[in-house]
Amino acid sequence: MSSIVTTPFRRLALACSAVIALGLAGVAQADTLDKLKKGGTVRIGYANETPFAFTALDGSVTGESPEIVKKIFEKMGVKKVDPVLTEWGSLIPGLRAGRFDVIAAGMYITPERCKQVLFTDPQYQLPDALLTKSGNPKNLHSYDDFANSGATLAIMAGTVNLGYARDAGIKDEQILQVPDTAAQLQAVRAGRADAAVGTQLTMKGLAENGGDSLEAVTEFKDDPSHTGYGALAFRPEDKALRDAVNAELKKWLGSEEHLATVAPFGFDKLNVTTQTAAELCGQ
């Protein structure tokens, strides 16, 4: 018999292959969710950034996002959280490499990140602020102020603020990229940077930790489109898991239990948003 397959049969074979591939992908997605439920443990990737996710004095992980993960996954039958501390810039690569199952770090949803991970709908909305020496000696209140004055700005590597700063005309030699918020605090305190930029809650927390020598400048003139929307993030192949978590979040966000869970970290009902991941991803 000839080894040549006629065109109709070839099309049928290709169609069958596509159906099988889709079926296997669906099984893989379901397997991830089932695996977590059977094992009873979910691994979360986080970077030390108060109040979103950080290591407490007793060595446990806490913060707005980890506490939400604990509540939501417990409702799904997964009662244990296994934290994996990672530098911010390594969170997405670490997730995609399988080092953990979900990013629980208050990560902002951006179109660029949406190409790499699957986000849940956001659990909060939040503007940015600056951290400066007390009295804000260089009178810094916007990215334009840095571009016009030549002042130095400390930015946590891998955050959206780097792009915002460059778009505003701040030169790279004015930007000090650091691995975490503790390094931002030290840079401003030591005078290696005139200010640091980050979420309003984070900068307020750093100012409190810095004592009388530092202050948070919340009168920060910024593009309204820069308002941050934080969410949990999953691998692209874990859509079923993301969808299951999203369904639980939709029922829970804005509830009394949710607000009580995030209140210790400075969040309240004003941070709750109706924006969706699809809208923020531009889909």
Side-chain angles (χ1 to χ4, degrees):
M1 181 180 290
S2 171
S3 61
I4 298 175
V5 181
T6 61
T7 299
F9 286 113
R10 182 180 294 113
R11 289 175 180 167
L12 179 60
L14 290 173
C16 290
S17 297
V19 171
I20 292 171
L22 288 172
L24 291 174
V27 170
Q29 291 178 11
D31 281 350
T32 302
L33 181 55
D34 291 341
K35 181 180 178 181
L36 295 183
K37 288 182 177 180
K38 290 177 181 178
T41 300
V42 58
R43 298 170 300 162
I44 66 170
Y46 75 103
N48 267 322
E49 183 181 7
T50 306
F52 304 97
F54 57 96
T55 306
L57 293 177
D58 63 2
S60 63
V61 62
T62 189
E64 181 262 357
S65 286
E67 295 303 329
I68 285 178
V69 166
K70 293 173 188 177
K71 294 286 187 180
I72 292 299
F73 274 85
E74 185 175 6
K75 295 176 185 296
M76 296 170 60
V78 182
K79 297 184 178 180
K80 183 180 178 183
V81 169
D82 183 12
V84 181
L85 178 60
T86 306
E87 285 191 0
W88 182 268
S90 298
L91 282 171
I92 289 179
L95 176 70
R96 291 175 64 94
R99 292 186 58 217
F100 32 84
D101 305 302
V102 54
I103 295 174
M107 180 172 280
Y108 283 1
I109 300 173
T110 67
E112 185 59 35
R113 288 173 179 161
C114 292
K115 298 174 184 177
Q116 305 175 73
V117 299
L118 290 178
F119 284 103
T120 60
D121 291 333
Q123 62 235 25
Y124 71 79
Q125 59 181 350
L126 196 64
D128 281 346
L130 296 175
L131 177 74
T132 70
K133 289 284 184 67
S134 293
N136 192 7
K138 293 200 174 181
N139 197 29
L140 301 167
H141 293 278
S142 68
Y143 285 116
D144 288 341
D145 288 342
F146 287 89
N148 296 330
S149 68
T152 303
L153 180 62
I155 298 176
M156 191 162 70
T159 62
V160 295
N161 301 101
L162 182 60
Y164 296 160
R166 287 171 172 165
D167 289 344
I170 300 176
K171 299 176 181 178
D172 280 352
E173 53 265 33
Q174 294 174 251
I175 298 172
L176 177 65
Q177 293 193 56
V178 296
D180 51 36
T181 56
Q184 283 185 300
L185 172 64
Q186 292 305 320
V188 176
R189 177 183 277 162
R192 291 187 293 112
D194 297 299
V197 66
T199 69
Q200 193 176 94
L201 290 177
T202 299
M203 296 302 104
K204 283 183 176 180
L206 292 181
E208 291 175 4
N209 292 337
D212 295 336
S213 64
L214 300 176
E215 73 171 76
V217 180
T218 56
E219 297 80 19
F220 182 56
K221 301 182 183 71
D222 197 8
D223 188 326
S225 67
H226 293 173
T227 295
Y229 295 87
L232 306 177
F234 296 85
R235 287 183 290 273
E237 59 267 31
D238 284 339
K239 184 177 182 299
L241 177 59
R242 188 283 306 268
D243 290 348
V245 171
N246 222 15
E248 290 293 337
L249 282 170
K250 188 174 182 179
K251 294 184 289 185
W252 189 69
L253 292 176
S255 68
E256 289 186 8
E257 184 184 34
H258 166 235
L259 296 177
T261 298
V262 300
F265 310 107
F267 293 84
D268 58 32
K269 62 183 179 181
L270 295 177
N271 299 114
V272 178
T273 176
T274 58
Q275 285 274 16
T276 66
E279 291 169 339
L280 295 167
C281 288
Q283 299 172 349

